[in-house]
Structure formats: C-alpha cells, structure tokens
Amino acid sequence: MSHAPDDLDLQLIRHTQGGLPLVARPYAQIATQLGISEEAVIERLAAMQARGAIRRVAAVPNHYALGYRHNGMTVWDVDDALIDELGQRIGELPFVSHCYRRPRHLPDWRYNLFAMVHGRQRDDTERQIAEIAAVLGDACRAHDVLYSTRILKKTGLRLPE
C-alpha cells in the first residue's frame, strides 16, 4: 500500500535534502524550524525510509577530496540467468560503491551489469576489477571500464523550495 507524503513530510524532505545541519543535534534544529518535536522528525524520517519514500539518511563523501582519484564504472556482459545472484555478490564487495543491472542495447551496448569502484592509485582500481572478474568467472563474456575524469553532479532529486 502506497502512502503519499503529506505537507509536513515534504517540508522535512526540503529541510534535509541538502544535508543535515552541522550541529550537535541536527534533528532538534530541524524540529525547531518545522515546529515539531525532535522525536517526530526522527520518526517521520524512519517511516518515510520504511515505505521507500527516501532511501537513506547518510553522509555522502566526496571521493576525490578523500584522495580517490581513480574511479571507474565497470560494465560487464553477464549471463542473464545468473545476473541477480552475481550482482548481489558484486554489490557486497567492500570496494563497490554501487552496483546495478541495466538493459542491454544491442548491437551497440552489450553490458548489463554495472559496478562503481574507487581507488587512490590506478593499480588499486585494477586489482578491484580483477576481483570482480574472478567472482563473475565464466558467466562474464566481456567487460570494460569507464574512468571518471570529474564530477558533473553529486546530488539526488531535489524538491523545489
């Protein structure tokens, strides 16, 4: 059953979508701005997460600023019968920041599994790619790596103010 966000949920999203305030009690500060209790802020965020309206409340590090300058979106041509199982395994690797299935666009684009890796040195990234290849084994027919050169956008959906 879907539960559409009410006006207060939307206000809460708008107050948090750019990040939490950098204070000792960020939820209390947001609560004061919205005229509700700190507990209500926490409960509403948890409820929206539970029903899938928001994915998570988390820090989003800038990997370039942290020294991870060799970032590659690895793309894999994986047997469709095994992709769910293998994608789950790849997504659980500690160095994979995100992993997802995408449709092929034959004949131009054969890849159906994507996994982002980050390394401080190019050799780090290459070792990670080799580890993914080992997990995929014979189920993988081909792969490539698309290396990042800069960040174009580092935000999710933003509701208008």
Side-chain angles (χ1 to χ4, degrees):
M1 177 169 131
S2 174
H3 178 317
D6 62 19
D7 287 339
L8 187 54
D9 285 344
L10 293 173
Q11 287 180 36
L12 182 53
I13 290 169
R14 286 186 185 102
H15 274 80
T16 58
Q17 67 187 0
L20 295 178
L22 299 177
V23 297
R25 295 184 56 203
Y27 299 117
Q29 181 173 321
I30 294 165
T32 299
Q33 293 169 340
L34 295 176
I36 61 175
S37 71
E38 179 179 20
E39 293 76 21
V41 168
I42 294 167
E43 288 170 7
R44 279 184 172 261
L45 287 171
M48 284 190 283
Q49 186 175 5
R51 67 178 185 263
I54 61 174
R55 286 192 205 123
R56 65 184 177 272
V57 176
V60 180
N62 178 333
H63 48 277
Y64 284 94
L66 295 173
Y68 291 88
R69 305 219 179 262
H70 300 275
N71 309 292
M73 176 59 75
T74 63
V75 294
W76 307 85
D77 176 7
V78 176
D79 182 335
D80 289 319
L82 301 172
I83 192 170
D84 290 339
E85 173 195 338
L86 291 171
Q88 182 72 34
R89 289 178 57 199
I90 299 305
E92 291 171 355
L93 293 171
F95 53 81
V96 172
S97 63
H98 45 284
C99 179
Y100 46 91
R101 180 183 194 166
R102 289 288 185 255
R104 304 172 195 276
H105 293 281
L106 298 172
D108 300 318
W109 191 257
R110 67 190 291 179
Y111 306 108
N112 60 344
L113 181 65
F114 293 52
M116 189 74 191
V117 297
H118 307 276
R120 292 182 184 272
Q121 304 295 324
R122 183 72 169 243
D123 288 349
D124 298 333
T125 308
E126 295 297 328
R127 278 191 293 280
Q128 294 168 348
I129 294 165
E131 189 170 335
I132 293 171
V135 170
L136 295 175
D138 292 339
C140 179
R141 295 176 285 253
H143 78 277
D144 206 344
V145 184
L146 311 170
Y147 282 100
S148 303
T149 58
R150 61 190 170 117
I151 298 174
L152 298 176
K153 181 181 179 197
K154 194 69 173 177
T155 62
L157 170 69
R158 297 287 185 248
L159 298 180
E161 294 297 321

